[in-house]
Amino acid sequence: MHGWILLDKPLGLGSTQGVSAVKRALREGGYAKVKVGHGGTLDPLATGVLPIALGEATKLAGRMLDSDKVYDFTIQFGVETDTLDAEGKGIAESEVRPTRAQLEAVLPRFTGAIEQVPPAYSALKVDGERAYDLARAGETVVLKSRAVTIYGLEILPQLAGGGGPSAQPMVEGRGGQPPRAAAAPPPSLRDGPPPRAVLGKDPDEITLRAHVSKGTYIRSLARDIARALGAVGHVTYLRRIKAGPFTLDQAISLDSLADAAKERRLEDICLPLRAGLDDIPALLLTPDQAGLLRQGRVLVGIAKDDGLYFALLGDTPVALVEAEAGSIRVVRGFNL
């Protein structure tokens, strides 16, 4: 198979464990061995859309990592933690609880191109060492600010007494999270969804939806929003609802994955390779053109606007190509 299996990654499962689950499903279903990889890390305490690439689709995994994402997340006001989520230790407290009007007034400052300092507990490297390893060892970690883009940021409605079946407590992925975190979530996360406050005057928490560029840390965004409001806070809930062209309503549970493997119908839940390129226009080829591209040749005299295209021979993917000044060159070729 060559395509995508989209997991709705549950609480407690790491991204590499998600890859392992798909590999196991392929084995149990008796399918031919293929290359498998994921298209965007989510740590054990994060949930949501996890694209798993199979076969030739793994050539697009890097592009998926570079794609924009959409997250829902909750900021709990009152305490800032060292990890900026519910796993960490409190390092600052405040009695300030912002109003909705104050929140609405401050959000425009966090949309568009912004500078952001990543969390000390992140997978970024400092002098060759992972920042989270240094932080756990008690060292002071100072990371440089980076430019990211927040395409959209909005307040979500909240329900009293729980957030429904999708409202599982989670934190943003921090590459390299050790298994211990998945096996033993903090006490505050063991009993299911946290209470969800109705957003009104001086709420203890608010839930937002953020459409962000690659490299954006939701924990840092939550920290900075809270501080801009004269408060402090940390992330208690985060769910990735979109990764590149893939959305949560396309994702399946691990139980559904296991059932499909047992019934030898994984091909029914595997999205085609082209699904990862739904945001790119198709370029239909003649057999001769397809043959040249498969040899790595450049096509000339093609009247197409500059940009990326998904080159097809009939229904068969040939390559991800780039058009420039009437020429077509291969960016990623597919052996199909």
Side-chain angles (χ1 to χ4, degrees):
M1 283 188 289
H2 304 279
W4 303 88
I5 290 179
L6 301 187
L7 294 182
D8 182 354
K9 193 190 81 62
L11 189 69
L13 190 81
S15 296
T16 54
Q17 291 172 301
V19 170
S20 296
V22 171
K23 288 181 177 179
R24 183 167 57 252
L26 290 167
R27 288 195 306 270
E28 292 176 352
Y31 292 86
K33 186 176 181 180
V34 295
K35 202 173 177 184
V36 182
H38 66 75
T41 299
L42 281 178
D43 269 6
L45 294 183
T47 75
V49 179
L50 178 62
I52 305 292
L54 281 69
E56 290 296 288
T58 57
K59 294 179 178 179
L60 300 174
R63 186 174 182 275
M64 197 59 57
L65 294 172
D66 290 341
S67 65
D68 56 316
K69 313 289 193 302
V70 179
Y71 296 95
D72 290 350
F73 66 103
T74 296
I75 306 173
Q76 178 76 50
F77 294 110
V79 177
E80 181 176 311
T81 65
D82 54 0
T83 60
L84 303 181
D85 58 41
E87 285 189 276
K89 299 180 298 183
I91 57 173
E93 295 186 12
S94 171
E95 296 297 323
V96 175
R97 300 295 185 270
T99 65
R100 183 187 181 98
Q102 290 170 330
L103 182 65
E104 289 175 339
V106 84
L107 289 187
R109 291 168 50 183
F110 294 94
T111 55
I114 65 170
E115 290 288 323
Q116 181 184 82
V117 177
Y121 285 80
S122 66
L124 298 176
K125 288 191 174 182
V126 179
D127 297 328
E129 299 288 337
R130 296 289 185 186
Y132 54 70
D133 287 333
L134 297 174
R136 288 177 187 137
E139 296 189 28
T140 300
V141 178
V142 179
L143 297 173
K144 296 180 180 178
S145 66
R146 52 165 50 180
V148 298
T149 302
I150 311 299
Y151 301 108
L153 192 57
E154 61 178 312
I155 302 171
L156 293 182
Q158 293 172 282
L159 302 175
S166 68
Q168 302 172 45
M170 56 195 122
V171 294
E172 182 185 9
R174 298 195 302 273
Q177 181 69 33
R180 63 169 180 81
S188 61
L189 299 183
R190 289 179 182 146
D191 300 324
R196 311 296 296 282
V198 176
L199 188 61
K201 184 178 180 181
D202 299 333
D204 287 332
E205 61 180 36
I206 53 95
T207 298
L208 305 172
R209 175 166 295 170
H211 178 190
V212 303
S213 69
K214 70 171 184 176
T216 301
Y217 284 90
I218 298 298
R219 287 175 290 134
S220 292
L221 182 61
R223 171 200 63 201
D224 296 343
I225 289 173
R227 289 181 180 179
L229 290 163
V232 295
H234 63 276
V235 171
T236 57
Y237 167 87
L238 184 137
R239 185 163 178 76
R240 185 159 71 191
I241 62 172
K242 191 171 187 289
F246 298 129
T247 58
L248 195 57
D249 59 7
Q250 299 170 291
I252 63 168
S253 68
L254 287 181
D255 287 342
S256 295
L257 174 67
D259 289 343
K262 291 175 184 176
E263 298 167 9
R264 284 192 54 81
R265 54 178 181 81
L266 286 178
E267 57 270 21
D268 293 340
I269 62 171
C270 183
L271 300 178
L273 182 148
R274 66 175 66 89
L277 299 171
D278 273 355
D279 54 338
I280 294 179
L283 173 65
L284 299 181
L285 304 172
T286 66
D288 288 344
Q289 290 172 331
L292 290 172
L293 288 180
R294 284 170 173 152
Q295 296 171 22
R297 306 280 292 278
V298 175
L299 303 182
V300 296
I302 306 296
K304 288 290 183 181
D305 293 335
D306 289 357
L308 291 175
Y309 290 85
F310 182 35
L312 295 161
L313 177 60
D315 290 331
T316 303
V318 174
L320 174 64
V321 299
E322 183 174 20
E324 185 176 5
S327 297
I328 302 289
R329 67 173 184 84
V330 174
V331 176
R332 288 284 186 274
F334 307 119
N335 298 319
L336 297 172

